Amino acid sequence: MSRVTSVTLEGFVHADGGRLVDGGGRPLLMRGVGLGNWLLPEGYMWRFPEGVAQSAREIEALVADLVGDAAAAGFWQRFRDAYIAEEDIAAVAAAGFDHVRLPLNARHLLGGDGQLLAEGLAPIDRLVEWCRAHRLWVILDLHAAPGGQTGTNIDDSERGQPDLFVVGGRYRERTIALWSQLAARFRDEPVIAGYDLLNEPLPHEYGERYAAELVALYRDLTDAVRSVDPNHLLVYEGTRWSSDWSIFSEVWDANSMLQFHRYWIAPDRASVEPYVERGRALSLPIYMGEGGENDQAWLQTAFGLYEDLGISWNHWPWKKLDTWNSPLSVTPPQGWPAVVDYAAGTGPRPTTPEAQRTFDELLEQVRFGACEPRPEVIGALFRRAPLRLAAEAFGFGGAGRSYQTGGGVPLSWFRADDAVTIRCLGDDEPGSLFGPTDAAGFKPRFELIIGDGDWVEYSIDVAAPERLTVQAEPPPPSSGRSRLPAVWLDGEPLAPEADGRDVRWISAKSVTPGRHALRIEGRHPDTTLRSLWVGTEQGRR
């Protein structure tokens, strides 16, 4: 698939015959990142334990309890100014993403009279201008609808149930009014790529019970938006945390896209094929709008899968406290454990001055320049050198394109559609995908057995012209070098260089920026491959 390499803000992103295209009609595969925790805080991103201060309103109540209402109001104003700033957006663009997905909380956007609040719109307007300057698109995501569409912390629900559907009435009216006003405000804004009408509506226990009400609401939202905005892409999510697409049996609007989310599920073709088939049947583009929160091997495989199947994607989220699986990690303030212990009921209440110092320090720590970058996460998403590449992250193009084998034995529960011998290094079950990792968020969990003359191929990205070096994880000492593979880059063999038991393969000349094909070919009946280091000649390990 041809890919747009730069964002054009002339015209509107739109659907066209089952494809997503930019304003000039060029095929588009979107790659983005979610701005979670900015306008809608979530407790796990603050390192609060499960069941403690999880929703936005619960976190707000904790801050107010510790420092008082007036100081808390000032904290949140400063937090919104600090957590995402133009430096963040510049870094998002520099990393190679082309859009951000912005979670919105209706509670801070609509006043009691049902009209948009200027203070709620201000950060959205700033974001649009930053994205215009740095050539990014924005998807507006209603993460917390009036009344709540999930009944959980992620939609800031007040009563622990999806009152948007359980109660309906005024919540339904306010949701329609909110999207009508947002669409009227942004109807001519090409920076906005689309409107994600409801995030993850109806979790498992409510999915079937209120499915008809969700369809009716989607139809009414479609009519309301189209009455004022004929331009923007509409994005619909399925029930059960956006995983169940059974409600999508017909096209409600030709300029629309269907969205699913993927966490903690085996990243293989079987896991996404139903979405691909439904998108094809309805001739609509599809979007993996939230995924991540896993280790680098999982990210490499999952996001490579989306790329190979032409599925636009968005990684969740850009930053959070003390993390190894987001591009930025916020260092917790010195007094943060005391705040967490108090919130959990396992420690004394910090004094007001102590809590104020902690929150003031947090405001400094969340700023872009104070965050610890995790380039290995971005490397995993784009499979960009330098990176440690998991053996199971070979391409999803099928036999003859991504691999060739004379007699592979795939696992029954992971990549079963690909006839490559994959051996699980842990328990031979799906849970092996989600076990402990090393400190950097990587641990090989599979190995490939590649026969003599068989091969697997990986897609890698290079940011700048450089000579590349490739190093395979050493085979067991008893095997010697006979099980080492041959390595090819874009059809050209790489020269091996021996150093004791370690062998590296080095490109003869600099490679150009962009995507490249790295092929590993067996030179023994059972060449073993667990991971590869792909880096620059200067940065060899």
Side-chain angles (χ1 to χ4, degrees), residues 379-421:
L381 295 171
F382 290 95
R383 291 158 311 287
R384 179 178 297 155
L387 82 161
R388 188 176 178 187
L389 189 61
E392 68 269 21
F394 62 93
F396 288 87
R401 294 183 59 192
S402 294
Y403 66 86
Q404 189 62 55
T405 176
V409 182
L411 289 174
S412 62
W413 54 269
F414 176 61
R415 302 208 65 163
D417 294 332
D418 297 304
V420 174
T421 300

Side-chain angles (χ1 to χ4, degrees), residues 66-147:
L66 287 170
V67 300
D69 292 340
F75 167 80
W76 288 111
Q77 181 59 56
R78 293 158 64 199
F79 179 85
R80 286 187 288 272
D81 290 342
Y83 196 82
I84 296 294
E86 186 170 3
E87 293 89 344
D88 290 276
I89 300 308
V92 169
F97 298 105
D98 58 25
H99 76 283
V100 293
R101 180 170 175 260
L102 176 64
L104 302 175
N105 189 343
R107 182 160 61 89
H108 298 306
L109 276 172
L110 281 180
D113 60 357
Q115 300 302 303
L116 293 175
L117 297 170
E119 58 267 33
L121 290 169
I124 303 175
D125 290 341
R126 291 200 304 269
L127 178 67
V128 168
E129 291 310 310
W130 296 334
C131 288
R132 192 190 321 281
H134 296 283
R135 312 297 288 183
L136 292 171
W137 288 295
V138 177
I139 291 180
L140 298 181
D141 153 38
L142 186 52
H143 223 74

Side-chain angles (χ1 to χ4, degrees), residues 296-443:
Q296 293 164 42
W298 190 94
L299 296 178
Q300 291 168 13
T301 311
F303 286 80
L305 167 69
Y306 309 141
E307 296 264 336
D308 285 352
L309 298 188
I311 301 171
S312 292
W313 54 260
N314 189 281
H315 177 259
W316 180 267
W318 172 241
K319 68 167 74 164
K320 56 184 184 285
L321 261 69
D322 191 22
T323 181
W324 46 256
N325 57 16
S326 284
L328 291 182
S329 178
V330 178
T331 302
Q334 183 175 359
W336 196 247
V339 171
V340 174
D341 289 346
Y342 171 68
T346 58
R349 185 184 189 280
T351 66
T352 298
E354 289 171 341
Q356 188 65 63
R357 282 195 298 272
T358 297
F359 288 125
D360 287 343
E361 185 181 347
L362 179 65
L363 292 173
E364 295 305 315
Q365 298 292 76
V366 301
R367 296 182 186 277
F368 174 79
C371 292
E372 183 176 356
R374 300 292 193 198
E376 63 273 14
V377 175
I378 294 174
L381 295 171
F382 290 95
R383 291 158 311 287
R384 179 178 297 155
L387 82 161
R388 188 176 178 187
L389 189 61
E392 68 269 21
F394 62 93
F396 288 87
R401 294 183 59 192
S402 294
Y403 66 86
Q404 189 62 55
T405 176
V409 182
L411 289 174
S412 62
W413 54 269
F414 176 61
R415 302 208 65 163
D417 294 332
D418 297 304
V420 174
T421 300
I422 302 176
R423 185 178 296 163
C424 186
L425 298 176
D427 296 331
D428 194 11
E429 58 184 24
S432 301
L433 286 169
F434 313 120
T437 66
D438 64 18
F442 186 100
K443 182 179 181 180

Side-chain angles (χ1 to χ4, degrees), residues 178-420:
L178 173 58
W179 273 120
S180 296
Q181 293 176 77
L182 288 174
R185 181 181 183 85
F186 294 113
R187 58 169 290 163
D188 298 319
E189 179 52 75
V191 171
I192 303 294
Y195 304 140
D196 186 353
L197 298 176
L198 283 176
N199 176 71
E200 296 185 351
L202 298 173
H204 295 295
E205 61 269 33
Y206 294 99
E208 186 174 351
R209 190 187 318 175
Y210 294 105
E213 286 86 346
L214 175 59
V215 170
L217 178 58
Y218 272 151
R219 289 180 180 276
D220 288 347
L221 286 171
T222 300
D223 291 342
V225 169
R226 286 293 177 243
S227 71
V228 294
D229 183 349
N231 300 317
H232 281 98
L233 185 74
L234 298 181
V235 186
Y236 304 104
E237 301 190 33
T239 62
R240 295 184 170 90
W241 308 113
S242 196
S243 67
D244 185 346
W245 278 14
S246 59
I247 63 171
F248 302 134
S249 59
E250 58 183 315
V251 176
W252 299 321
D253 188 276
N255 187 21
S256 65
M257 179 167 67
L258 304 181
Q259 179 177 172
F260 68 95
H261 293 175
R262 264 301 177 259
Y263 293 101
W264 307 100
I265 293 173
D268 60 11
R269 185 182 293 272
S271 70
V272 299
E273 193 62 40
Y275 305 117
V276 174
E277 292 175 356
R278 185 61 56 94
R280 187 181 299 120
L282 296 177
S283 194
L284 292 176
I286 68 175
Y287 177 53
M288 198 296 296
E290 262 191 44
E293 304 293 14
N294 213 312
D295 78 315
Q296 293 164 42
W298 190 94
L299 296 178
Q300 291 168 13
T301 311
F303 286 80
L305 167 69
Y306 309 141
E307 296 264 336
D308 285 352
L309 298 188
I311 301 171
S312 292
W313 54 260
N314 189 281
H315 177 259
W316 180 267
W318 172 241
K319 68 167 74 164
K320 56 184 184 285
L321 261 69
D322 191 22
T323 181
W324 46 256
N325 57 16
S326 284
L328 291 182
S329 178
V330 178
T331 302
Q334 183 175 359
W336 196 247
V339 171
V340 174
D341 289 346
Y342 171 68
T346 58
R349 185 184 189 280
T351 66
T352 298
E354 289 171 341
Q356 188 65 63
R357 282 195 298 272
T358 297
F359 288 125
D360 287 343
E361 185 181 347
L362 179 65
L363 292 173
E364 295 305 315
Q365 298 292 76
V366 301
R367 296 182 186 277
F368 174 79
C371 292
E372 183 176 356
R374 300 292 193 198
E376 63 273 14
V377 175
I378 294 174
L381 295 171
F382 290 95
R383 291 158 311 287
R384 179 178 297 155
L387 82 161
R388 188 176 178 187
L389 189 61
E392 68 269 21
F394 62 93
F396 288 87
R401 294 183 59 192
S402 294
Y403 66 86
Q404 189 62 55
T405 176
V409 182
L411 289 174
S412 62
W413 54 269
F414 176 61
R415 302 208 65 163
D417 294 332
D418 297 304
V420 174

